Structures are given as C-alpha cells and as structure tokens.
C-alpha cells in the first residue's frame, strides 16, 4: 500500500467505492478508512482498517492523506475532531469541514439555522417527556441524531399515535416538526468550491416506504427548476460556507413551494443518475472539489432515471455477490432495457431493504416513465432468483 493519498474517505460503503472508482479514472490516489476489510470500498482500492469511533487509528489514517471526504455523515464529529488535532490535519482539509458536519449531525440545529437564514423548512421543536400534545395533526417525530432511510422518523396522525409514542417523547433526543403535505419529494445535488457553486438538475425521488426507490429527472418549468436550485444552494449556505458536495432533500408543495428537509454532506443516492448522464458524475465532482480541480460540466437536461436495488424482504439475496446470480440478473435487465447500466456494490451481507446496487436507465424524462424503472428492477430480481434456484440444482 502507498504511504500517502491525495484523498482519504472516512467510511467504506458504496459511496466511498464509487468515489474511489471516479478518483482512479482521474489518476488521483485515494484510500478508504473503515472497520470492514471486505466492504464495498475495500474491494476497489486500498483500505485502512479502523473503527470510525477510534481517534488514534483515524489520526494515523489522516496523517497519510492530503484531504478527507465522507462516505457517511454519521462518523462522529468528536472523533474526527480529535483525530484531526492529533494528526495536525487542518479543518479546511476535511470536505466539508467539521463545523458543517456538526450541524448536519443534529437535525434540530439544522432546522434552526434554516430558520435564521430565512430558508423555508418545517418548524421544529425539541421534544421532552412533558411536551404538550400538538394542536393539530399530523406532525412528524424525528430522532435528532443518527436517523437514516426513514429509521428515526414517525408520522403522528392522531392523538392515539401521540400517546403511543410515549417512549420517544421521554427519550429526550427527538424533535417534533410540522408535517409538510408535499406533492413530490425532490433532491438537488450542489457542488461547491471556493470560487464556484453549481446545482445539478433536480430529480423527483419516489419513496414509497420512507426510503428512496427511484429517481426521475424533475420536469417542472424552468422557473420551478431554478427555484429548487436556488433554495438548495441557500440551504447549503445557511449551514456554512463550506466547500463540498451536498445532496439537498426538498419537499415540493401543492402550491409550488420548495421546503428543505435535510442536507447530506456527501454524494447522495439521488445523485446516482449523474454517473450515466454524459456529464460529470457526482463522484467525479467530489474528487475534483477535494483536489482543487475546477468543477466539471453538468448536463442541463439529463434523461436518466435510477432504480435502487434494495435487498429483498425474504432474505433471498444472502451471499449477495454470487457471480452466477449477477450474470443472470444483468442478462434479465438487458432483456427489458438494453442500454441500462447496473451498478453493484459488492455487499456480502444482505438485509431486507438494504441498498445493494442501482440501475441507471437512459431515456427517462419524467414520472410517466416510472413503470420502466420498476420493470428494470423487477427484471433484475427475477434473473437473480432464477439463477439462485438453478445453482442449487432444484
Ligand atoms: P432520514 O434521514 O431517515 O432519511 P428524513 O428526514 O429524510 O429522514 O425523513 C424520511 C422521510 O419521511 C422523508 O423522505 C419524507 O418522506 C418523510 N418526512 C420527513 N419529514 C417530513 C415532514 N416534515 N413532513 C412530511 N414528511 C416528512
């Protein structure tokens, strides 16, 4: 393994893996830091094994890196700060910086900064055991720290729901916020260097169970597109003048307002279509930002949709990266969408709903094309399952 790297990625999941692949293409040296020596990122480049809560091991890693980026916003900021101090790693070499990350890790602080900056976002209140019930329903209860993919989010529709959430209210680290009756959930990737800020085209995210399953390009008027991009950039600026790549999640209301839900300080699931839209992928953009290159061009009207490959509920994807199954699954997708690209993350352990890969399908321009994304994902799992039964000889 080399001694030094231009970029170190804190975490070794699929976002780290795809960032590393983009870095390799540009000839940028990169390594990941993760407790799992066989995770998605470790399969495509050097990995230093260490716990995300171990400041000593993280400091040893950072001392070998010029810049650091994030695979996940859940790497504890106190660990990162201790590691940076120990390694003599300047805070501005973390992309985005630790102050930005500290706010992102606290959903209540995030909401408060949006309010101070006048960025539209649901009103939120800290929740304590004796908090009075809301005057109107629905409301949303959210874990201040650590929620992801809808884990840590509860929609409270009735007084009975409120009463049943007694443990959450007593926990002391949840918040209550206004429910936004959105027409669509939309996301905008924002890329920021010290001299440039660029917003990608918004996508509509389809999240039937509080987790994103599909994205399609947002086909609103150019005025609405621009409004979404403006709100997304304002949200990033409200948290801090940080340099980095950000996934900004928005609600689009029935009256055409964009309301900020939250920011991910890293590449985002809703930006995966950029890998195959003939512009600069979100991962390449992050590598460019971290290494001081100018931003790459962004396609104004992309026509690529994305279907997540979420672990099946029956656990049938155990030993997920079985080559026979993957061959059959790819062939099956090719049968319905010959130009689709399957991206697979190499995870070995499968839980229901876990993100195992995604499919980018060209020629998708609006929600009307959603059935094609569904059909592509269905074809994948059909092929995958067929190969499994073939391999077992049944
Ligand atoms: P996570 O960080 O777990 O993804 P989110 O804050 O994104 O949590 O919430 C998950 C989902 O819950 C959102 O994508 C949205 O569908 C729904 N949701 C969250 N907050 C609100 C809200 N204030 N009003 C309406 N729906 C919400």
């Amino acid at each position: 393994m080399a001694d030094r790297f231009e970029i170190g990625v804190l975490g070794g999941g699929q976002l780290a893996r795809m960032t590393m692949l983009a870095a390799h293409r540009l000839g940028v040296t990169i390594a990941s830091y993760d407790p799992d020596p066989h995770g998605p990122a470790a399969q495509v480049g050097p990995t230093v094994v260490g716990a995300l809560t171990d400041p000593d091991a993280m400091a040893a890693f950072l001392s070998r890196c010029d810049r650091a980026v994030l695979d996940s916003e859940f790497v504890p900021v106190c660990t990162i700060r201790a590691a940076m101090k120990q390694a003599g790693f300047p805070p501005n070499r973390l992309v985005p910086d630790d102050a930005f990350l500290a706010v992102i890790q606290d959903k209540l602080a995030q909401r408060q900064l949006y309010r101070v900056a006048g960025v539209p976002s649901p009103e939120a209140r800290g929740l304590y055991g004796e908090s009075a019930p809301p005057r109107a329903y629905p409301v949303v209860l959210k874990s201040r720290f650590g929620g992801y993919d809808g884990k840590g989010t509860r929609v409270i529709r009735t007084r009975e729901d409120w009463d049943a959430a007694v443990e959450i209210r007593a926990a002391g680290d949840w918040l209550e916020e206004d429910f936004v009756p959105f027409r669509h959930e939309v996301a905008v990737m924002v890329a920021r260097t010290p001299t440039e800020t660029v917003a990608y085209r918004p996508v509509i995210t389809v999240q039937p169970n509080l987790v994103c399953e599909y994205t399609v390009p947002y086909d609103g008027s150019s005025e609405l597109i621009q409004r979404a991009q403006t709100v997304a950039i304002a949200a990033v600026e409200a948290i801090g003048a940080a340099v980095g790549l950000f996934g900004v999640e928005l609600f689009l209301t029935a009256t055409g307002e964009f309301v900020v839900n939250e920011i991910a300080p890293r590449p985002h699931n809703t930006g995966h279509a950029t890998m195959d839209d003939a512009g600069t992928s979100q991962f390449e953009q992050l590598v460019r930002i971290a290494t001081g290159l100018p931003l790459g061009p962004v396609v104004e009207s992309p026509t690529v949709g994305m279907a997540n490959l979420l672990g099946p509920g029956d656990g049938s994807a155990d030993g997920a990266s079985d080559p026979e199954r993957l061959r059959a699954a790819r062939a099956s997708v090719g049968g319905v969408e010959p130009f689709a690209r399957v991206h697979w993350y190499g995870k070995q352990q499968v839980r229901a709903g876990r993100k195992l890969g995604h499919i980018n399908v060209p020629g998708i321009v609006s929600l009307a094309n959603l059935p094609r994304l569904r059909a592509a994902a269905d074809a994948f799992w059909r092929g995958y399952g067929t190969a499994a039964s073939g391999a077992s000889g049944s």
Side-chain angles (χ1 to χ4, degrees):
M1 196 187 292
D3 282 343
R4 282 204 69 78
F5 303 96
E6 287 166 84
I7 301 178
V9 192
L10 297 178
Q14 69 264 25
L15 301 178
R17 175 186 177 107
M18 292 184 275
T19 304
M20 290 174 84
L21 293 173
H24 288 319
R25 207 160 51 80
L26 293 178
V28 168
T29 56
I30 188 164
S32 62
Y33 172 83
D34 195 77
D36 181 357
H38 308 294
Q43 295 165 22
V44 302
T47 274
V48 171
V49 177
L52 297 170
T53 49
D54 178 348
D56 299 333
M58 192 184 287
F61 174 68
L62 287 179
S63 66
R64 299 168 63 183
C65 303
D66 297 334
R67 294 279 191 284
V69 301
L70 299 166
D71 168 73
S72 156
E73 62 276 33
F74 297 127
V75 185
V77 73
C78 53
T79 308
I80 297 181
R81 281 180 169 151
M84 287 196 304
K85 197 164 172 207
Q86 194 175 322
F89 192 88
N92 64 359
R93 301 232 174 135
L94 177 68
V95 179
D97 61 34
D98 58 312
F100 196 100
L101 182 61
V103 175
I104 294 299
Q105 290 186 354
D106 180 348
K107 287 189 175 177
L108 188 57
Q110 211 181 134
R111 288 269 176 269
Q112 284 163 345
L113 285 189
Y114 297 142
R115 205 188 49 199
V116 168
V119 173
S121 171
E123 283 288 321
R125 303 155 283 278
L127 198 57
Y128 307 99
E130 67 281 11
S131 297
R135 264 170 284 172
Y137 296 92
V139 294
V140 180
L141 303 190
K142 260 184 204 180
S143 176
R144 271 179 74 174
F145 309 98
Y148 71 101
D149 283 351
K151 298 170 182 61
T153 299
R154 292 262 189 96
V155 179
I156 301 291
R157 298 188 182 278
T158 61
R159 176 65 199 249
E160 287 71 41
D161 289 351
W162 171 266
D163 289 340
V166 59
E167 277 174 27
I168 284 177
R169 286 184 281 122
D173 58 356
W174 282 62
L175 58 91
E176 176 201 338
E177 70 181 27
D178 293 348
F179 179 87
V180 180
F182 56 83
R183 182 153 33 120
H184 293 303
E185 294 192 67
V186 171
V188 177
M189 296 306 306
V190 174
R192 212 169 136 90
T193 71
T195 55
E196 293 177 278
T197 302
V198 166
Y200 281 73
R201 169 78 168 263
V203 297
I204 292 182
T205 78
V206 182
Q207 322 206 134
N209 301 305
L210 301 186
V211 54
C212 173
E213 288 193 18
Y214 308 99
T215 70
V216 299
Y218 172 55
D219 63 342
S221 66
S222 54
E223 192 211 327
L224 281 171
I225 288 171
Q226 210 176 24
R227 207 185 297 161
Q229 292 170 326
T230 303
V231 170
I233 291 171
V236 170
E237 289 174 349
I239 305 297
V243 160
L245 179 79
F246 308 94
V248 185
E249 299 176 10
L250 307 167
F251 300 120
L252 171 58
T253 68
T255 52
E257 300 302 315
F258 290 97
V259 175
V260 178
N261 180 20
E262 61 176 354
I263 296 179
R266 51 164 173 78
H268 197 233
N269 191 200
T270 62
H272 288 351
T274 62
M275 299 172 85
D276 293 306
D277 73 3
T280 309
S281 80
Q282 59 168 345
F283 300 103
E284 176 172 337
Q285 212 67 285
L286 179 59
V287 171
R288 288 173 162 273
I289 294 165
T291 52
L293 288 168
L295 294 178
V298 168
V299 176
E300 231 173 79
S301 299
T303 54
V304 178
M306 188 241 13
N308 268 331
L309 294 169
L310 302 175
D314 58 5
S316 63
D318 274 352
S321 296
D322 177 281
E324 271 309 311
R325 289 176 146 185
L326 288 179
R327 250 195 299 279
R330 283 174 191 281
S332 179
V333 172
V336 294
E337 290 287 351
F339 295 100
R341 288 246 168 93
V342 177
H343 298 259
W344 191 250
Y345 307 151
K347 294 181 183 175
Q348 298 302 325
Q349 285 180 334
V350 175
R351 290 185 299 273
R354 191 176 193 205
K355 289 170 182 150
L356 302 179
H358 68 270
I359 309 177
N360 281 343
V361 181
I364 303 285
V365 295
S366 75
L367 267 185
N369 302 130
L370 192 58
R372 278 180 53 202
L373 292 177
R374 285 213 174 93
D378 288 350
F380 181 93
W381 292 117
R382 223 174 22 250
Y384 191 92
T386 312
S389 54
S392 70
S394 57

